[in-house]
Amino acid sequence: MGMWSIGAGALGAAALALVLANTDIFLSKPLQATLEYLEEIDLKTLEKEPRTFKAKELWEKNGAVIMAVRRPGCFLCREEAADLSSLKPKLDELGVPLYAVVKEQIRTEVKDFQPYFKGEIFLDEKKKFYGPQRRKMMFMGFVRLGVWNNFFRARNGGFSGNLEGEGFILGGVFVVGSGKQGILLEHREKEFGDKVNPVSVLEAARKIKPQTSASEKK
């Protein structure tokens, strides 16, 4: 009876752990970014002679849609990149650019990501776009049913990837208005493969009011 009791207790504890892992109780809550925080982020171009600039250059005139990529080689990230890229024709009509930031540049990872993403990509070495409070999902992610659903969805969509690079710091998507218009949409990945809704991105992009230069006002 003693061994049976221990075994039953262990199974009960495992079942409880599995249930709790599939709730949002233990997920770290994202701290919302402010426009002032995003504006001062240093980004680098990916050229042979990189240029460092403030992130506000990306949206100052026409706003922007920006993907903070968790890991370029991740097939779930590639799926989301392809979804956002499908909006590019409509974003072009609105005059709103599409960008991505990555937190590291390893071998050909960014180059291999580019077929899935139809915008410019920049390096965020200090991982500021993943803040103000960086959130990680570790191995708990692999017992979440939502993550497995996301895995199967992306695989069935024909996406594949690799295990290169850091992939635990969660990413997100921002739609930022021009000038001081502010952050119109902020989607924070809560688990691996938690994609932004493309319809929401487009709705937010339509709210962007491009800056008018002095010469155009005359």
Side-chain angles (χ1 to χ4, degrees):
M1 286 295 292
M3 292 300 294
W4 281 108
S5 297
I6 293 171
L11 285 173
L16 178 61
L18 186 61
V19 169
L20 290 175
N22 280 280
T23 69
D24 293 346
I25 294 174
F26 298 113
L27 296 183
S28 56
K29 300 296 184 288
L31 181 64
Q32 298 295 302
T34 64
L35 181 64
E36 291 72 24
Y37 171 83
L38 294 181
E39 284 178 331
E40 294 304 311
I41 295 175
D42 288 321
L43 298 178
K44 282 186 178 180
T45 60
L46 298 177
E47 304 156 340
K48 288 185 178 179
E49 296 182 6
R51 178 178 75 90
T52 300
F53 64 97
K54 294 296 183 184
K56 63 183 178 182
E57 284 188 27
L58 298 181
W59 59 78
E60 209 157 27
K61 292 182 179 179
N62 297 301
V65 175
I66 305 166
M67 178 182 181
V69 182
R70 181 165 53 79
R71 191 170 64 80
C74 170
F75 68 104
L76 297 170
C77 300
R78 291 175 173 183
E79 180 195 30
E80 184 169 32
D83 282 356
L84 289 172
S85 294
S86 71
L87 301 177
K88 185 99 172 37
K90 292 180 180 177
L91 292 175
D92 287 344
E93 287 177 13
L94 295 170
V96 176
L98 176 64
Y99 300 118
V101 297
V102 294
K103 47 181 142 67
E104 56 189 355
Q105 188 177 12
I106 300 176
R107 291 184 282 279
T108 62
E109 288 303 291
V110 174
K111 181 181 178 182
D112 295 341
F113 182 70
Q114 286 174 324
Y116 304 94
F117 189 77
K118 304 304 181 186
E120 286 188 76
I121 303 173
F122 303 98
L123 179 63
D124 176 13
E125 285 183 315
K126 295 181 180 178
K127 306 177 180 66
K128 293 289 188 178
F129 264 99
Y130 303 83
Q133 179 182 320
R134 285 180 214 159
R135 298 168 305 115
K136 287 187 177 183
M137 172 158 280
M138 305 299 283
F139 297 104
M140 181 181 75
F142 297 103
V143 297
R144 287 180 64 86
L145 296 178
V147 171
W148 283 99
N149 284 335
N150 296 338
F151 284 166
F152 290 126
R153 181 196 65 221
R155 287 293 186 198
N156 290 337
F159 294 92
S160 61
N162 58 54
L163 299 176
E164 295 284 343
E166 195 287 321
F168 294 120
I169 298 175
L170 297 170
V173 174
F174 300 84
V175 178
V176 187
S178 63
K180 294 292 184 180
Q181 192 179 355
I183 300 169
L184 303 176
L185 181 145
E186 180 176 353
H187 169 79
R188 297 288 186 167
E189 190 180 27
K190 79 170 186 178
E191 62 185 7
F192 302 143
D194 174 31
K195 301 190 299 177
V196 70
N197 184 337
V199 174
S200 298
V201 172
L202 204 54
E203 287 176 353
R206 289 192 173 113
K207 296 176 184 176
I208 294 174
K209 301 172 183 175
Q211 291 284 291
T212 304
S213 66
S215 60
E216 290 175 327
K217 290 178 181 178
K218 293 180 180 178

